Amino acid sequence: MKKLMGMLAMAGAVALVLTGCAAGDAGSASGGGADGSPIKVGFSQVGAESGWRSANTASLKDALSDANGFKMTFSDAQQKQENQIAAIRSFITQGVGAIVFAPVVETGWDDVLKEAKDANIPVILQDRAVDSDPSLYTTRVGDDFEKEGETAGKYVADTFNGKKANLVVLEGTTGSSAANDRTTGFNKAIAGTDINVLDSLTGNFTRAEGKTVMEGFLQKYGKTINVLFAQNDDMGLGALDAIKAAGLTPGKDIQIVTIDATKDGLTALSTGEFNYVVECNPLLGDKVADVVKKVVAGESVDKLYVADDQAFDQAQATVALPTRKY
Ligand code: GYE
């Protein structure tokens, strides 16, 4: 360890001598972290599309705070990949000690990740995944989306056990690993059952689009819809308005299964408007902060940290709500 610290100090000294050259060497003077100086972190967030996202942003801001030894720059990509690429390039130019980044979509990151690697800046993915070669990033802290989809699908398969049922799906943001993997897991669980997928469209993880797309489903399929799988709480909550406006009772005429388990989602579950909610933990900040500190100190970390998720039925939601943190 002493030797490593010595090496890092040397790297810092070299970086100081060569000011203007490739900045951001992990643990270097420019990226912070040496001698107890704050670690400069650039955080590129997806946007503010959902309750889950707000809780995730708050968790990261809390954990990467000045008081915890960080100088964090926050950038909101407003759900656009080009904004994230620009933010990451600007973090590289600033010579941050680490980049934390929630990739809006799964593909198209190779070039910018190579640029960060060439500048010796570690990249920590939080939340969603990328399809790039794992050598291009340090680690990912997130949830198991395929398992979440599978848990939701199992509920539907078990509920309609052997009976025919017509299903509609509100998918998350097209091309996001959260949507891709939830679809894969869900389809696995309902394969070979009598669940008939009438339609599946994106609602972009927002309430507004969840409502509009559900209105379209109701116009097209009306009362033949038995069950809705919304890939997050917000789209399910938007769909509630559309279902009520169509004169149907959510939770009874149309069963609703969602993912996230935010307070708003669990409230709809507890009052009987949703039927089942699978958890996706957004409180990833402490783990991310811990990993950033280790990486900047030159310690090794795992390639993947997966959060623990559970699932709730209506009675379990009522029990969980009073102490729910997000
Ligand atoms: O489920 C949704 C959010 O990537 C896991 O993104 C996240 C998803 C989450 O907008 O509410």
Side-chain angles (χ1 to χ4, degrees), residues 248-305:
L248 297 170
T249 308
K252 299 224 159 55
D253 296 324
I254 298 181
Q255 287 233 12
I256 302 174
V257 182
T258 70
I259 296 178
D260 276 355
T262 55
K263 265 187 204 159
D264 286 353
L266 290 189
T267 302
L269 184 58
S270 166
T271 57
E273 297 194 314
F274 284 179
N275 301 81
Y276 196 67
V277 176
V278 181
E279 182 176 50
C280 179
N281 191 346
L283 307 180
L284 307 174
D286 287 344
K287 188 42 128 193
V288 169
D290 180 52
V291 165
V292 170
K293 282 203 167 151
K294 285 199 170 118
V295 169
V296 169
E299 291 170 35
S300 68
V301 294
D302 292 348
K303 205 72 205 183
L304 177 67
Y305 294 91

Side-chain angles (χ1 to χ4, degrees), residues 8 10 12 55 60 72 130 133 141 159 167 171 177 181 191 243 268 270 276 281 292 301 316-317 319:
L8 286 174
M10 248 175 71
L60 271 280
M72 195 260 273
V130 296
D133 191 90
V141 178
T159 302
L167 170 92
E171 298 165 19
S177 76
D181 295 354
I243 293 170
S270 166
Y276 196 67
N281 191 346
V292 170
V301 294
Q316 287 162 332
V319 174

Side-chain angles (χ1 to χ4, degrees), residues 97-277:
I99 292 169
V100 175
F101 143 61
V104 57
V105 290
E106 206 165 350
T107 59
W109 302 104
D110 289 6
D111 288 350
V112 76
L113 289 177
K114 272 186 201 134
E115 290 165 33
K117 194 172 184 191
D118 288 346
N120 267 320
I121 301 177
V123 173
I124 289 94
L125 304 177
Q126 80 93 27
D127 173 25
R128 299 180 190 168
V130 296
D131 75 345
S132 300
D133 191 90
S135 66
L136 291 178
Y137 58 86
T138 305
T139 182
R140 172 177 168 245
V141 178
D143 295 82
D144 184 341
F145 306 133
E146 186 172 332
K147 195 167 147 208
E148 291 164 1
E150 204 170 340
T151 308
K154 268 190 197 137
Y155 170 81
V156 173
D158 291 349
T159 302
F160 293 95
N161 181 22
K163 281 181 261 157
K164 283 199 164 67
N166 288 321
L167 170 92
V168 290
V169 182
L170 289 170
E171 298 165 19
T173 300
T174 305
S176 68
S177 76
N180 291 343
D181 295 354
R182 284 172 184 171
T183 300
T184 303
F186 189 89
N187 287 344
K188 231 193 237 174
I190 63 160
T193 67
D194 276 330
I195 310 295
N196 169 37
V197 184
L198 285 174
D199 221 331
S200 183
L201 288 174
T202 183
N204 214 12
F205 282 133
T206 68
R207 278 187 203 211
E209 287 179 66
K211 181 176 176 214
T212 321
V213 177
M214 191 67 202
E215 279 165 0
F217 287 159
L218 286 160
Q219 266 160 28
K220 218 164 159 188
Y221 309 105
K223 286 185 179 159
T224 62
I225 302 170
N226 304 113
V227 52
L228 161 68
F229 169 41
Q231 290 187 350
N232 81 343
D233 287 349
D234 287 77
M235 293 188 293
L237 292 163
L240 287 182
D241 293 343
I243 293 170
K244 288 179 203 165
L248 297 170
T249 308
K252 299 224 159 55
D253 296 324
I254 298 181
Q255 287 233 12
I256 302 174
V257 182
T258 70
I259 296 178
D260 276 355
T262 55
K263 265 187 204 159
D264 286 353
L266 290 189
T267 302
L269 184 58
S270 166
T271 57
E273 297 194 314
F274 284 179
N275 301 81
Y276 196 67
V277 176

